[in-house]
Each structure stands twice: as structure tokens, then as C-alpha cells.
Amino acid sequence: MSTFPTTLQHCQALDTVDALHPLRDLFDIPAGVIYLDGNSLGVMPKTAAARAAEVVTQEWGQGLIRSWNTAGWFSLPQRLGNRIAPLIGAGADEVVATDTTSINLFKVLSAALSIAAQDAPQRKLIVSERSNFPTDLYIAEGLCKERGYTLKLVEPEEIAAALTADVAVLMLTHVNYRTGAMHDMTAVTAAAHAAGALMVWDLAHSAGAVPVTLKASNADFSIGCGYKYLNGGPGAPAFVWVHPKHADRFWQPLSGWWGHAAPFAFTPDYQPAPGITRYLCGTQPIVSMSLLGCGLEGFEAADKLGGMAALRTKSLALTDLFIQLVEERCQGYGLGLATPRAHAQRGSQVCLTREHAVGGSGAFAIVQALIARGVIGDYRAGDGGIHKDILRFGFTPLYIGFEDVWNAVEHLRQVLETGEWQKPEFNQKHAVT
Amino acid sequence: MSTFPTTLQHCQALDTVDALHPLRDLFDIPAGVIYLDGNSLGVMPKTAAARAAEVVTQEWGQGLIRSWNTAGWFSLPQRLGNRIAPLIGAGADEVVATDTTSINLFKVLSAALSIAAQDAPQRKLIVSERSNFPTDLYIAEGLCKERGYTLKLVEPEEIAAALTADVAVLMLTHVNYRTGAMHDMTAVTAAAHAAGALMVWDLAHSAGAVPVTLKASNADFSIGCGYKYLNGGPGAPAFVWVHPKHADRFWQPLSGWWGHAAPFAFTPDYQPAPGITRYLCGTQPIVSMSLLGCGLEGFEAADKLGGMAALRTKSLALTDLFIQLVEERCQGYGLGLATPRAHAQRGSQVCLTREHAVGGSGAFAIVQALIARGVIGDYRAGDGGIHKDILRFGFTPLYIGFEDVWNAVEHLRQVLETGEWQKPEFNQKHAVT
């Protein structure tokens, strides 16, 4: 990487020749902000305001109850699912947008345990990563308690050895939220299957960020998030995919009327709809769900420019550049790299650690000082053990450019060089997401 | 009721003297529409469009991730819950707005069964009404299958006799969606408790429609809907209440991070938050949820005019008038009344049946013909047995007036007198909600 440009002018030139660069014009990015938190909440597509107005004033206000049919509200989960499918390597009619990531994980993990209980009742373990996103672990913990399973948490390098004969399900997040480390979906799925376990993938930090090959990798179940890289808006509904070979096999226990074979027959007994529709439950938040469609338009525009493959190439160039510039320009301040250097093991974010002789890592305060300068990343606390405090920076190739990377690193350098992060106002913790 | 006015002029005069009548100006009602379907989807408050624009363009677009704190997104479920609480007879910090009615029922029914399993493990029945809203029955059916319980469905008049020593939970919808019949919450709860069963109330057709006394009636668990009488918008988040004596006793199994005692500590093990917050699960759809706040403003405006008590008085006057006018002006067309005449047993809707010698009830086609005239009610199919086809008309006292009632009945009379409901276009069934 020694020939990579390292001046502002070089970065500007990279933007000029980047065929994807014009896609940023599809989004409203606040003036003065370099937004490196699209892995937590994506920015607003420019079409969102008009779409929200249309759904509220026309579809709700004027159409009222008729809009369930005339505006297609009732089929939104399936229609959005079919638009998400190509981003995650799923087929048509295999995905629905609905509910939240946590609730969808409950559904698929329930179904996976039901299959395991039937096919391999002696298997009583769910294996996951200790640094998996906590809500995944909480949902698994609850289901284990309900059904007499045990949740075994390991470090990433211990996963292979943990795939013993008593494992029912391996549940992993494809790209780790703390480190940006990415699993090899095909290899890990194959290892789980070779050990007789089912494979559940959380795509919260993958969908729209990296190419995903669920079906080609022969995964069993998957869920993901609508409001991160998919730019669906705050709390946008999540999505769920189930391999077609499993989809009709069990009900998931959240057996509400939207998953019924004939919801408007109003029969007292539950008859699950065929396929993925049975993973729906109750009436969906139509305004929020409609805005998810605006987020997906960005990817449909990118399709004409090479799609997810082109976005991935740019994403790696952005994260490579960020790593290089941090290492060149922020030396001597104790920063370390938590994200793998190998492209095959990296998602679309870069996470830094900080070693400091006194007063803790300073990671929280450095992030706050950057936010005050308009460079929005986020902070994730360590556990005092091997999981260190993290400065987290997401690079969304749809709207982040190479000059942004230069400027972000320049702000980081100044924050460290001036010591402004030590100001009291940057050291007062409050809830951050 | 013989002295009640029965002319258009009388109805107009009633609107003139109705102190609540000006509240309809808080809502956008489409021109030419008499909207009698607020029990399915409430109309749009006039503040909703501006609020949607603010949440989308300012809070999301400009505030981005910072809005979790600065715009108070993270506390929305609790803040909205505290605004719903007075409408349902709950105390402060006892209600959260979140997820869907179906999912919230899963949570509270799970918790109720956990309590029953500990306190009375020999009780293995859930009792409900056969004509309860089907999704409630589907959720209960799924949980019964999971936990080894049996769902026993009875007619309303059989409930008392069904409260045997093997009943763990009595689960009822307070106001029946098909008939508008309302249970006596205090008496039924007392009967359940006397029989040793826990009481779960679904308030889908009650919250914002009739006064509700959850805590005074000593109910155990309750859930309800945000998009019907609360006017929160299509698929607005639902709500959940748990009696404080139960709230800390069990986790509900949808143990996601929003219900954690310290969600941003990112600890791998689940520690439920105290109280009702543990009934939260995943990240909520903020745009849809924010609009629920607009719906609640109507009730806050009504508080200055007598609140739910005044709304209830008007609701009964509206439904009385509708029944009277239908019986006076639509004689001879086979219409019958499915809703109780006794005020104490009536919600805020009137449901009609129709007997006809040939060709079925015609109920579906009559409703379609009314909709074509701008009188929007809805149709619910019967089961061919004792549950007949239903023409359903909801009367939301916040925005329906007495002249609306007159005009609706006049349209119904004309549809029946002219036979226009027999036109082919009114007899083609499609999905209706």
C-alpha cells in the first residue's frame, strides 16, 4: 500500500474518478458533518421527506383504511423483502421486512431449536461469540432458559474447537459490531454443518455493507437490520430470511395473524402461511416501513454502477485509506487497530483502540471531541479484559468519499495533538447508541 | 328513547350544543367521507404531517445518531406509555408503547404462564372467547403448544362456568371486535381471581374508546393498540401494561437490549430493567412511534372538556342514535343488531347483521356500496354458524358528530331501498382489514 496517495489532493482526485461518488447526492448529509456512524444509523435519503409526507397525508390521511389495499400496505413486508434479497444473496420470496432484529432472532432461533430438538435431541448447546452484539446473546439466553439449552460463549478463534457433538446451533454476527471483523460465511457455515449444527447469521453490520451469500453459503437462518447500512431511518423494521428447505417446516412461536395462511378469514385456529410469510406476526409500522424503501433506492441506483461488488471495492479502499492515514499521521498517541487488515476479514468499519499510561484509554473523550468537530463516529466501552475500549468509524461507500477520510483523520490528529479531548465536557458520559 | 330527535335538523342541533364537537377540527377527515372505521384505523391528526416532517428531516436528517439523546428517541416508549396510562386506568411508569399487539400479548401471556407455573402448576388451561380477535387466539395457541397448556374457547355466556380449578389464565378482549359487546372489567377480573386464574385484557377496541379501569379492577396484564381509537397512524406501535405486583417477578422471553437494566453497558448477560421497561425488546420504529404522540394530543385536548367520561357519554349518544335511526328508517331489509343495547355492555361501535332469504347476507356488498358513497365502515365474515356476517360501524367521539350519524343511516337506507348493493362491483371480495 506504499504507493497509495497520502495527500488531501490525492484524496480529492480519488473522489473525482470514483464512479460511485455521485451517489452521495441521493442523501442529505448535514453541513459540516463527516458521518462515520452509518453502521449505527444511516443517513437520510433525499426522497424520505416526500415519501413520509405522502404516506402520512395521502395514504393515511386521505386513503385511510382503504390504503391497506390501494396503497399496498399489506404486502409491504414481502415487497421490501424482495428488494433486500439481492443484497444478502437470497432468492425471491425468501425475505420479509418486519419487526425488530431482536424479535426476528427470537423467531429464527426458536425455529432452529425446534428443528434441532426433532433431528438431534441430544444436542443442547447454542454457541456464539462473547463479543456478539448483546441483544443477540440476551435473546439466546432467554430461549435457552425456556427450552433447556445452554448458551456457550467463546472468542472467535475458539469457534472451530467449540463445534462439538452437543452443539445444536451456531449463532454469529457476520461482521462484529465492536471490531469490524468479518467471518467467512461459507467456511464457517460449512464447519457448523460438518459438526451437525444449524447456522444462524446476524447481518446487522453486513446488509448493504458487504456482499452476502446466504443461499450460496447454504446458511440456515438469517436476520438483519434496516436502519444501519440500509439507510431505512431510525428503528426501521428489520428483516428475516429462512432457507426454503426450513421455511415450511415449523411455525415460529410469534404466530400472529400476519403470518396466517388466510388472515382475513378470521378463523380461530392458526394455519401458517406457506414460506417466509409465516415469519410475520402483527400489524407493521407502515410509516417507518415505507421509509425503508427510500433507503433501498440507493442500492438500486448503485446496481447500474456495479452494485454491491463495486460498493465493496470502494469500501475497502476507504477503510484501507483510513488505516493508512491514521498510522501515518496519528503516530505516537497510542492508537491501535482492532479491525483486521486482511480484506477478507474486514467489514465496512475501522475500529481503533488506545493505550494510555494514565487515566484510562481516553477513547470516549476522543470520540466526543471528534463529534464536537462534526466527525461523527462512536465509542464502545471495553470490559476491562481482552475487549478494549473502541473508537468506531463506519464507512458507508454510498455516501462517504475519500476526502472525507482525509478530513476525518486530520480532525483526529488535531484532537490528539492539541489534547482538546481532555476538556471536561468531553469526559461526561451519557447514553450513546 | 322515544323522545330522542329523529330528524336531520335535530342531529345538527345536537352537534351545535356538543362541547366536544370542536375537537373534530384537530383531525383531517377527507372531504365527502363519513368515517365509521376508526375502530380499525383512526384518522390523521392535523399535527401528524408536520411532526413526520420534523422527525424525518430534522431529527433523522440533521440530528442523525445524536437524536437518540437530543430528540429523546430512547425514552419515547416510556413517555408515550405515561400519556396512554390515564386512558386505561394505569399509573405512572406502568405502561410502555412498543412493538405490536400480537407481540405484546406474547410477552404478557408468557409472563402469566410463568407465574401460573410457579404458583399453581396443576392449572393447565387458558380460557378465551371463540370470537376473540384471532391473532390473540393464534398467539395463545402457539404458547400453549410450547408450554403444554390447552386453549379452551367458549362463548361469552359460558365464561363463568369455564372458570374451573384447572384454569391458569383468562384472556379476553374487553370490547369484542365483531359485536362491540363489552365485558364488565371489574366483575370478570374478580371472577377470574376468585377461581384462582390470572386476568389478561386486550384493550384494542377500548383504549381511547371507553373508560378503562385496569388498576382499579385489579387486572394482572393488559395490551392494546395504537392505531385504532388512539389515532396513532397505520401500524402505530402498541402498548403493554403489567400490574406492578407482577412487573418485576419474571422476564418475558423477548429479552432484548431495550429491556436490559443497562443497555449501553453491552454486557453479555441479560439483566432485566426494573418494572415495565423489561417489556421492551428491540429498537423501535421512531417515525411511526412519534406519530402516536400526535394521536394522543386529541385526548389531552379532550381532558379540558371532561376527558374520557365526556367522550364516553357522547359515544353512547352516537351509538344510541345510530341504533334508533337504523331501526326507524331501515325497517324491512332484514337488518339485526349484534351489539348490546345496554350501555354497560356496549363499546364504541355498532354491528349489524342481515337476514336475507336468498344469496347470503349481502353484508359484504352493502358495506362496499356504502364505501362507494363515502360511508366507510367494514365487514367481518361470519363462520356459517352462530357468528353471523357483520356490518361494523365504529363511532369515534373525538371526530364523529350526530349529523354524521344521520347521514350514514340515510346512505344505508338508500343503498338498501335502491338495491344498489346488488351491483356486481360491490360483490367482488378482496382483502379488507
Side-chain angles (χ1 to χ4, degrees):
Chain A
M1 296 201 297
S2 60
T3 61
F4 210 89
T6 56
T7 67
L8 170 60
Q9 290 69 29
H10 280 121
C11 294
Q12 290 168 332
L14 283 173
D15 283 336
T16 306
V17 298
D18 171 20
L20 300 177
H21 192 71
L23 292 174
R24 72 190 279 141
D25 294 334
L26 300 175
F27 299 91
D28 250 339
I29 301 171
V33 165
I34 300 172
Y35 194 65
L36 304 181
D37 215 1
N39 51 328
S40 190
L41 172 64
V43 303
M44 186 186 73
K46 284 181 179 165
T47 55
R51 182 77 185 109
E54 181 183 33
V55 177
V56 172
T57 62
Q58 294 304 309
E59 297 182 5
W60 175 18
Q62 296 296 307
L64 285 163
I65 194 71
R66 299 168 288 200
S67 289
W68 283 106
N69 296 307
T70 56
W73 289 348
F74 203 67
S75 60
L76 254 185
Q78 288 90 346
R79 288 187 288 123
L80 291 169
N82 279 334
R83 294 170 65 188
I84 293 167
L87 300 176
I88 59 173
D93 301 327
E94 292 177 4
V95 181
V96 283
T98 188
D99 294 332
T100 68
T101 311
S102 300
I103 285 171
N104 289 336
L105 181 62
F106 182 87
K107 297 172 189 171
V108 300
L109 202 51
S110 295
L113 292 181
S114 294
I115 290 175
Q118 190 165 98
D119 295 354
Q122 78 286 1
R123 294 175 176 267
K124 289 294 183 191
L125 283 186
I126 298 175
V127 171
S128 192
E129 271 187 71
R130 188 166 293 112
S131 75
N132 197 346
F133 190 70
T135 205
D136 291 29
L137 304 182
Y138 304 157
I139 292 288
E141 182 183 352
L143 269 169
C144 284
K145 207 169 79 158
E146 287 281 315
R147 303 211 186 183
Y149 283 74
T150 300
L151 177 61
K152 181 176 178 179
L153 302 182
V154 299
E155 298 303 323
E157 61 276 13
E158 299 167 339
I159 292 170
L163 290 172
T164 51
D166 46 357
V167 177
V169 176
L170 176 59
M171 174 189 86
L172 294 174
T173 297
H174 183 221
V175 175
N176 186 282
Y177 84 106
R178 282 180 54 84
T179 63
M182 182 168 71
H183 288 290
D184 180 331
M185 181 173 280
T186 301
V188 173
T189 302
H193 288 174
L198 291 161
M199 186 73 231
V200 175
W201 287 109
D202 180 344
L203 301 179
H205 291 268
S206 306
V210 298
V212 178
T213 56
L214 282 175
K215 213 166 172 186
S217 296
N218 201 25
D220 296 293
F221 297 92
S222 184
I223 52 117
C225 179
Y227 55 79
K228 297 178 185 288
Y229 291 96
L230 297 186
N231 305 312
F239 63 83
V240 54
W241 172 83
V242 174
H243 194 289
K245 73 183 168 195
H246 300 309
D248 287 330
R249 199 163 160 202
F250 286 95
W251 315 356
Q252 51 87 15
L254 292 169
S255 48
W257 68 314
W258 277 42
H260 195 279
F264 294 101
F266 294 103
T267 59
D269 59 315
Y270 183 68
Q271 294 295 335
I276 193 67
T277 295
R278 72 179 60 185
Y279 283 79
L280 301 179
C281 180
T283 305
Q284 291 300 295
I286 294 298
V287 183
S288 284
M289 184 166 258
S290 298
L291 298 179
L292 176 53
C294 299
L296 297 175
E297 290 166 5
F299 296 94
E300 289 151 2
D303 275 344
K304 302 174 187 72
L305 303 167
M308 277 309 304
L311 288 168
R312 172 63 169 166
T313 300
K314 179 175 173 185
S315 159
L316 287 169
L318 291 167
T319 52
D320 274 346
L321 177 63
F322 183 80
I323 293 168
Q324 181 191 350
L325 290 175
V326 166
E327 294 183 341
E328 286 178 3
R329 298 172 57 77
C330 303
Q331 285 178 24
Y333 299 109
L335 295 179
L337 183 64
T339 302
R341 288 180 198 276
H343 284 179
Q345 297 168 29
R346 188 195 306 161
S348 197
Q349 69 189 56
V350 178
C351 301
L352 305 177
T353 57
R354 186 162 181 271
E355 301 290 342
H356 199 241
V358 289
S361 71
F364 174 83
I366 294 167
V367 168
Q368 297 307 309
L370 284 170
I371 291 173
R373 286 167 167 262
V375 180
I376 303 182
D378 60 25
Y379 161 79
R380 290 293 177 259
D383 61 6
I386 63 168
H387 303 112
K388 298 179 180 172
D389 290 354
I390 291 281
L391 301 90
R392 194 172 72 152
F393 303 98
F395 295 86
T396 305
L398 278 175
Y399 54 78
I400 297 296
F402 295 92
E403 184 177 354
D404 293 328
V405 175
W406 173 275
N407 289 331
V409 175
E410 179 58 18
H411 281 292
L412 175 59
R413 190 187 67 74
Q414 292 178 19
V415 162
L416 293 165
E417 186 175 290
T418 63
E420 74 187 52
W421 63 273
Q422 293 170 309
K423 289 183 184 171
E425 66 261 38
F426 299 139
N427 286 272
Q428 286 162 12
K429 294 196 183 183
H430 53 80
V432 282
T433 56
Chain B
M1 299 198 295
S2 59
T3 60
F4 209 89
T6 55
T7 66
L8 170 59
Q9 290 69 28
H10 281 120
C11 294
Q12 289 168 332
L14 284 173
D15 283 336
T16 307
V17 298
D18 170 20
L20 300 177
H21 192 72
L23 292 175
R24 71 190 279 139
D25 294 334
L26 300 175
F27 299 91
D28 251 339
I29 301 170
V33 165
I34 299 172
Y35 194 66
L36 304 181
D37 215 0
N39 51 328
S40 190
L41 172 63
V43 301
M44 185 185 73
K46 283 181 179 165
T47 55
R51 182 78 186 107
E54 182 183 33
V55 178
V56 172
T57 62
Q58 294 304 310
E59 297 183 5
W60 175 18
Q62 296 297 307
L64 285 164
I65 194 71
R66 299 168 289 200
S67 289
W68 283 106
N69 297 307
T70 57
W73 288 349
F74 203 69
S75 60
L76 254 184
Q78 288 90 347
R79 288 187 289 124
L80 290 169
N82 278 334
R83 292 170 66 188
I84 293 168
L87 300 177
I88 59 174
D93 302 326
E94 293 178 4
V95 181
V96 283
T98 188
D99 294 332
T100 68
T101 310
S102 299
I103 284 170
N104 288 336
L105 180 61
F106 182 88
K107 297 172 188 170
V108 298
L109 203 49
S110 294
L113 292 181
S114 294
I115 290 175
Q118 189 165 99
D119 294 355
Q122 78 287 2
R123 293 174 176 268
K124 289 294 183 190
L125 284 186
I126 298 175
V127 170
S128 192
E129 270 187 71
R130 187 166 293 113
S131 75
N132 197 346
F133 190 70
T135 204
D136 292 29
L137 304 182
Y138 305 156
I139 291 289
E141 182 183 352
L143 269 170
C144 284
K145 207 169 79 157
E146 287 281 315
R147 303 211 184 182
Y149 283 74
T150 299
L151 177 62
K152 181 175 178 178
L153 302 182
V154 300
E155 299 303 323
E157 61 275 15
E158 300 166 339
I159 292 171
L163 290 173
T164 52
D166 47 356
V167 177
V169 176
L170 176 59
M171 174 189 85
L172 294 173
T173 297
H174 183 221
V175 174
N176 186 282
Y177 85 106
R178 282 181 54 85
T179 64
M182 182 167 73
H183 288 290
D184 180 330
M185 181 173 280
T186 301
V188 173
T189 302
H193 288 172
L198 291 161
M199 185 74 231
V200 175
W201 288 108
D202 180 344
L203 301 179
H205 292 267
S206 306
V210 298
V212 178
T213 55
L214 282 175
K215 212 165 172 186
S217 296
N218 201 25
D220 296 293
F221 298 92
S222 183
I223 53 115
C225 179
Y227 55 80
K228 296 179 186 287
Y229 291 96
L230 296 187
N231 306 311
F239 63 84
V240 54
W241 171 84
V242 174
H243 194 288
K245 74 184 168 194
H246 300 309
D248 287 330
R249 199 163 160 202
F250 287 95
W251 315 356
Q252 49 88 15
L254 292 169
S255 47
W257 69 313
W258 277 43
H260 195 278
F264 293 101
F266 295 104
T267 59
D269 59 314
Y270 183 70
Q271 294 295 337
I276 194 66
T277 294
R278 72 179 59 187
Y279 283 78
L280 301 179
C281 180
T283 306
Q284 291 300 297
I286 295 298
V287 183
S288 284
M289 184 166 259
S290 298
L291 298 179
L292 176 53
C294 299
L296 297 175
E297 290 165 5
F299 297 95
E300 289 151 1
D303 274 345
K304 303 174 186 74
L305 302 166
M308 277 308 305
L311 289 167
R312 173 62 170 164
T313 300
K314 179 174 173 184
S315 160
L316 287 168
L318 291 168
T319 52
D320 275 346
L321 177 64
F322 184 79
I323 293 168
Q324 180 190 351
L325 290 175
V326 166
E327 293 183 340
E328 285 178 3
R329 298 172 57 78
C330 302
Q331 284 178 24
Y333 299 109
L335 295 179
L337 183 64
T339 302
R341 287 179 197 275
H343 284 180
Q345 296 168 29
R346 189 194 306 162
S348 197
Q349 69 189 57
V350 177
C351 301
L352 305 177
T353 58
R354 185 162 182 270
E355 301 290 345
H356 199 241
V358 288
S361 71
F364 174 83
I366 294 167
V367 168
Q368 297 308 308
L370 284 170
I371 291 172
R373 286 167 167 261
V375 180
I376 302 181
D378 60 24
Y379 160 81
R380 290 292 177 260
D383 62 6
I386 62 169
H387 303 112
K388 297 178 181 174
D389 289 354
I390 292 279
L391 302 90
R392 194 172 72 151
F393 303 98
F395 296 86
T396 304
L398 278 175
Y399 54 78
I400 297 295
F402 295 93
E403 184 177 354
D404 293 328
V405 175
W406 173 275
N407 288 332
V409 175
E410 179 58 19
H411 280 293
L412 176 60
R413 190 188 67 74
Q414 291 178 19
V415 161
L416 293 165
E417 187 175 289
T418 62
E420 74 187 50
W421 62 274
Q422 292 169 308
K423 289 183 184 173
E425 66 262 36
F426 298 139
N427 285 272
Q428 285 160 12
K429 294 197 184 182
H430 52 81
V432 281
T433 56

